[in-house]
């Protein structure tokens, strides 16, 4: 009798424990009539962000400033955040308007990474030096509390086809990286020692710009335009003068 009582008590205790466990974990039922669960990403998950460096719009454009910013400010930053940035590119422009000479860095990443990059650029000692003496007039960064360019093709030319808009960022990233690597190699070949002043840096990158321009003018036709045409099967295209031309 005692053994049966003990067994009975143990059985009751086990049943109570199982019942308690089932009550603590409610069951879930999924059927083909259930509404699908759609996980909508945060608006800031990924998107394009801009950092714009504006120079004095008056007088002759000093293109060497672009190279100085690209090489001394952005090159190390891209290396440090390479795994966090999906796409990036440069944009250079100079015109007789209110914007004038502007060098832009565009990058596709999360809002968190964008905020970190913005802070690094604004705190960069060389950027602060150039702002202090007026080499750079203004640095404009995008706010990271929202993003209006969440698709890869959102910053491409809207007149292009959707296919071109969505694929062009990969092409121009390669071009931007090539240009930056050219600056790096030419800068090392020319050399600049010690702790150069801002004036010495600008003079150095003027020489670098001259050499990169020389390479573009003498080798760009075959190395870039010809081989780009080859990728597309040597098919002719409508040139900007509105006539057919194959490179």
């Amino acid at each position: 009798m005692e053994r049966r009582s003990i067994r009975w008590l143990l059985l009751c205790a086990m049943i109570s424990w199982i019942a308690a466990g089932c009550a603590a974990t409610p069951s879930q039922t999924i059927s083909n009539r259930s509404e699908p669960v759609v996980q909508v990403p945060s608006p800031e998950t990924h998107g394009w962000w801009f950092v714009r460096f504006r120079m004095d719009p008056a007088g002759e454009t000093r293109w060497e400033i672009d190279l100085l910013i690209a090489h001394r400010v952005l090159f190390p930053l891209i290396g440090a955040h390479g795994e966090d940035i999906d796409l990036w590119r440069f944009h250079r422009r100079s015109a007789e308007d209110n914007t004038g000479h502007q060098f832009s860095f565009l990058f596709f990443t999360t809002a968190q990474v964008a905020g970190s990059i913005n802070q690094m650029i604004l705190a960069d000692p060389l950027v602060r030096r150039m702002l202090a003496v007026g080499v750079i007039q203004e640095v404009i960064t995008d706010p990271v509390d929202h993003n209006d360019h969440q698709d890869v093709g959102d910053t491409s030319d809207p007149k292009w086809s959707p296919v071109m808009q969505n694929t062009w960022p990969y092409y121009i990233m390669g071009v931007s990286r090539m240009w930056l690597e050219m600056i790096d190699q030419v800068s090392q070949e020319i050399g600049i020692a010690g702790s150069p002043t801002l004036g010495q840096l600008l003079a150095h990158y003027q020489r670098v710009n001259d050499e990169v321009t020389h390479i573009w003018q003498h080798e760009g036709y075959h190395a870039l335009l010809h081989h780009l045409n080859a990728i597309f099967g040597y098919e002719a295209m409508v040139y900007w003068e509105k006539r057919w031309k194959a490179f």
Side-chain angles (χ1 to χ4, degrees):
M1 290 293 293
E2 292 181 358
R3 290 182 178 178
R4 290 181 178 178
S5 298
I6 293 172
R7 290 175 181 174
W8 176 252
L9 291 172
L10 289 173
L11 180 60
C12 291
M14 184 176 293
I15 293 172
S16 299
W17 176 76
I18 293 172
C22 291
T25 307
S27 63
Q28 295 180 345
T29 303
I30 301 175
S31 70
N32 58 2
R33 292 179 295 176
S34 300
E35 290 294 327
V37 178
V38 179
Q39 296 185 357
V40 181
S42 168
E44 296 82 38
T45 298
H46 273 81
W48 283 105
W49 312 88
F50 291 69
V51 178
R52 300 173 176 89
F53 301 87
R54 288 188 175 174
M55 275 60 81
D56 188 353
E60 185 177 352
T61 301
R62 301 183 62 185
W63 293 113
E64 70 272 15
I65 301 174
D66 296 1
L67 280 71
L68 174 57
I69 295 171
H71 192 219
R72 294 281 175 149
V73 178
L74 300 177
F75 192 33
L77 188 150
I78 292 169
H81 286 276
E83 295 183 357
D84 301 321
I85 302 174
D86 299 319
L87 290 162
W88 60 270
R89 70 177 184 268
F90 300 129
H91 183 264
R92 307 175 72 188
R93 61 98 66 194
S94 182
E96 296 181 359
D97 53 22
N98 292 332
T99 301
H101 178 195
Q102 178 172 279
F103 179 66
S104 300
F105 176 51
L106 294 77
F107 52 103
F108 192 83
T109 187
T110 65
Q112 182 178 4
V113 173
S116 176
I117 289 175
N118 289 349
Q119 292 178 5
M120 291 177 66
I121 290 174
L122 294 175
D124 187 279
L126 180 57
V127 172
R128 298 174 75 90
R129 283 168 61 190
M130 288 191 283
L131 282 167
V133 299
V135 173
I136 297 176
Q137 296 291 317
E138 188 177 19
V139 179
I140 305 169
T141 60
D142 283 344
V144 295
D145 58 347
H146 69 281
N147 189 286
D148 298 326
H149 308 290
Q150 297 175 40
D151 293 330
V152 169
D154 277 352
T155 59
S156 300
D157 194 318
K159 296 190 295 293
W160 295 342
S161 67
V163 170
M164 182 63 80
Q165 291 181 45
N166 292 329
T167 56
W168 181 77
Y170 297 91
Y171 163 77
I172 201 64
M173 176 177 169
V175 173
S176 296
R177 180 169 182 175
M178 178 182 178
W179 179 71
L180 187 54
E181 293 287 347
M182 291 173 72
I183 294 170
D184 183 54
Q185 292 189 32
V186 172
S187 177
Q188 292 185 49
E189 290 175 1
I190 294 175
I192 182 169
S195 301
T197 65
L198 183 55
Q200 290 172 330
L201 281 172
L202 290 169
H204 172 76
Y205 284 98
Q206 177 60 63
R207 292 182 61 193
V208 174
N209 185 64
D210 291 343
E211 180 59 26
V212 171
T213 299
H214 177 82
I215 295 171
W216 157 253
Q217 291 177 336
H218 290 80
E219 300 182 49
Y221 182 89
H222 182 262
L224 302 179
L225 301 183
H226 167 75
H227 285 283
L228 179 61
N229 197 186
I231 289 293
F232 289 93
Y234 295 104
E235 293 290 346
M237 69 177 190
V238 179
Y239 196 48
W240 70 276
E241 286 126 343
K242 302 300 182 183
R243 62 187 179 91
W244 291 104
K245 181 177 177 61
F247 293 99

